[in-house]
């Protein structure tokens, strides 16, 4: 595993045409599955590790976000990644920078509840694309709105990269793997899988023709009665990422909940990801 820590080192390593997996580190099997999918698509697979300050809001977990670079590198080596790019914040943001803002798909949900988050995400992803010049970039469907944002940005700005969105890797009980799961206490962890179960239950109800608002509010109520704070559960429509009251061709059930101070997001896609409009 080649460790690259500056933009110059990336230029010298001539990684153009690679497959890139952007991450914030604290790697788990979800990230590693993206690496192995990337390996099937490209000879050279690189992973960026950068806890991007601009996508964290005031009062969010930027300073306590888990960081373990040595362990991450060991995992990447075992997963067969060729190189890792871990830049310094000062090199990425030497001054207040140009921001990418993607309309419509960022209006609601994470975009609304975390103002500035997707501007931070879109900007760092475009910078990583400019620095590394990947032919392919691989993202996890776990962060579904992020996938929609990046897809729209790449189309709108004619960025010459092929995007691939890969399935969410889950714990044995269905909880989506996340770097933030380490924040859960053992009693919170014990009930956390009910979040995804609720999304699945909604999905079954809706595909059986149940009414959309009723099914969603039942799911919200049942999670709240278990001790979850529900930020939202909704049926959304692609490509707008806005709510819909009827099932169409391109829908997903999305959710965000809090257990204590830990916030988790998850979703259930109701169509094959390669068809994402
Ligand atoms: P992060 O480090 O959280 O920014 O995530 C880096 C990439 O890994 C993003 O494209 C995420 O969507 C993806 N990812 C995170 N968790 C999972 C998971 N459980 N399964 C698959 N991909 C994931």
């Amino acid at each position: 595993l080649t460790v690259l820590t500056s933009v110059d080192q990336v230029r010298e390593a001539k990684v153009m045409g690679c497959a890139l997996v952007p991450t914030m580190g604290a790697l788990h099997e979800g990230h590693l599955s993206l690496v192995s999918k990337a390996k099937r698509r490209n000879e050279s697979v690189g992973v960026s590790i950068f806890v991007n300050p601009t996508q964290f809001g005031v009062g969010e977990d930027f300073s306590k976000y888990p960081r373990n670079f040595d362990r991450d590198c060991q995992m990447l080596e075992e997963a067969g990644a060729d190189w890792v790019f871990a830049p310094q914040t000062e090199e990425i943001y030497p001054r207040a920078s140009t921001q990418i803002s993607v309309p419509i798909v960022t209006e609601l949900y994470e975009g609304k509840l975390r103002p500035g988050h997707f501007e931070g995400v879109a900007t760092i992803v475009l910078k990583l694309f400019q620095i590394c010049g990947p032919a392919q970039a691989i993202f996890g469907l776990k962060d579904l709105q992020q996938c929609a944002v990046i897809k729209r940005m790449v189309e709108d700005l004619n960025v010459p990269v092929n995007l691939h969105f890969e399935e969410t890797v889950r714990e044995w009980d269905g909880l989506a793997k996340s770097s933030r799961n380490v924040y859960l206490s053992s009693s919170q962890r014990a009930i956390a899988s009910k979040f995804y179960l609720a999304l699945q239950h909604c999905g079954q109800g809706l595909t059986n023709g149940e009414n959309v608002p009723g099914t969603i509010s039942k799911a919200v109520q049942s999670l709240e009665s278990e001790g979850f704070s529900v930020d939202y559960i909704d049926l959304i429509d692609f490509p707008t990422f806005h709510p819909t009251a009827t099932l169409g061709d391109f829908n997903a059930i999305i959710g965000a909940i809090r257990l204590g101070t830990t916030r988790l997001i998850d979703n259930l896609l109701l169509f094959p990801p390669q068809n994402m409009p």
Side-chain angles (χ1 to χ4, degrees):
L1 183 78
T2 307
V3 177
L4 308 167
T5 57
S6 72
V7 173
D8 277 347
Q9 286 176 6
V10 175
R11 297 250 157 82
E12 280 157 27
K14 296 207 166 54
V15 302
M16 248 182 141
C18 65
L20 178 68
V21 181
T23 81
M24 299 204 297
L27 301 181
H28 51 66
E29 284 165 50
H31 301 111
L32 300 183
S33 85
L34 301 185
V35 172
S36 49
K37 301 270 168 57
K39 276 187 74 83
R40 285 183 224 158
R41 301 188 188 279
N42 202 294
E43 252 174 74
S44 164
V45 172
V47 175
S48 60
I49 295 184
F50 182 63
V51 185
N52 175 36
T54 65
Q55 71 188 68
F56 288 80
V58 181
E60 290 187 1
D61 57 345
F62 174 68
S63 53
K64 74 161 186 173
Y65 195 84
R67 291 164 171 87
N68 198 336
F69 186 64
D70 293 341
R71 182 172 169 275
D72 287 348
C73 286
Q74 203 180 325
M75 290 170 78
L76 289 178
E77 174 109 55
E78 285 163 21
D82 298 284
W83 50 274
V84 58
F85 174 45
Q88 297 299 310
T89 306
E90 300 71 40
E91 188 179 23
I92 295 297
Y93 301 117
R95 58 190 161 262
S97 92
T98 303
Q99 292 262 311
I100 301 296
S101 87
V102 182
I104 308 167
V105 291
T106 59
E107 273 168 12
L108 300 173
Y109 311 114
E110 297 306 291
K112 183 170 186 181
L113 293 171
R114 304 182 66 189
H117 171 66
F118 285 127
E119 285 77 8
V121 168
T123 304
I124 189 62
V125 168
L126 186 59
K127 281 171 73 82
L128 290 168
F129 287 174
Q130 301 287 47
I131 294 166
C132 302
Q136 275 102 26
I138 295 90
F139 294 88
L141 287 165
K142 153 94 180 3
D143 298 281
L144 189 62
Q145 195 170 10
Q146 172 171 288
C147 293
V149 169
I150 291 163
K151 185 164 193 291
R152 197 56 67 239
M153 172 185 78
V154 161
E155 287 172 10
D156 289 349
L157 299 180
N158 306 91
V159 183
V161 64
N162 290 309
L163 298 175
H164 304 281
F165 303 121
E166 306 289 357
E167 299 287 338
T168 301
V169 176
R170 299 180 179 281
E171 301 287 353
W172 63 274
D173 60 351
L175 174 66
K177 296 220 180 217
S178 164
S179 308
R180 291 188 166 100
N181 290 351
V182 297
Y183 301 151
L184 296 170
S185 70
S186 56
S187 60
Q188 289 167 342
R189 175 63 191 85
I191 62 164
S193 63
K194 296 191 175 181
F195 177 29
Y196 182 56
L197 287 176
L199 300 183
Q200 284 183 309
H201 195 243
C202 270
Q204 275 154 15
L206 295 179
T207 43
N208 289 338
E210 278 177 25
N211 122 309
V212 174
T215 306
I216 287 169
S217 60
K218 253 194 310 180
V220 172
Q221 275 167 26
S222 107
L223 285 172
E224 300 231 307
S225 73
E226 303 268 7
F228 292 75
S229 302
V230 177
D231 281 351
Y232 58 80
I233 291 184
D234 227 340
L235 179 72
I236 60 100
D237 203 24
F238 280 84
T240 60
F241 223 90
H242 278 220
T244 175
T246 50
L247 271 190
D249 291 338
F250 302 109
N251 295 133
I253 301 163
I254 59 166
I257 58 95
R258 279 169 289 124
L259 276 172
T261 53
T262 303
R263 190 166 181 280
L264 303 177
I265 62 170
D266 203 348
N267 66 80
L268 187 72
L269 203 63
L270 303 179
F271 62 93
Q274 62 273 19
N275 297 352
M276 192 185 288

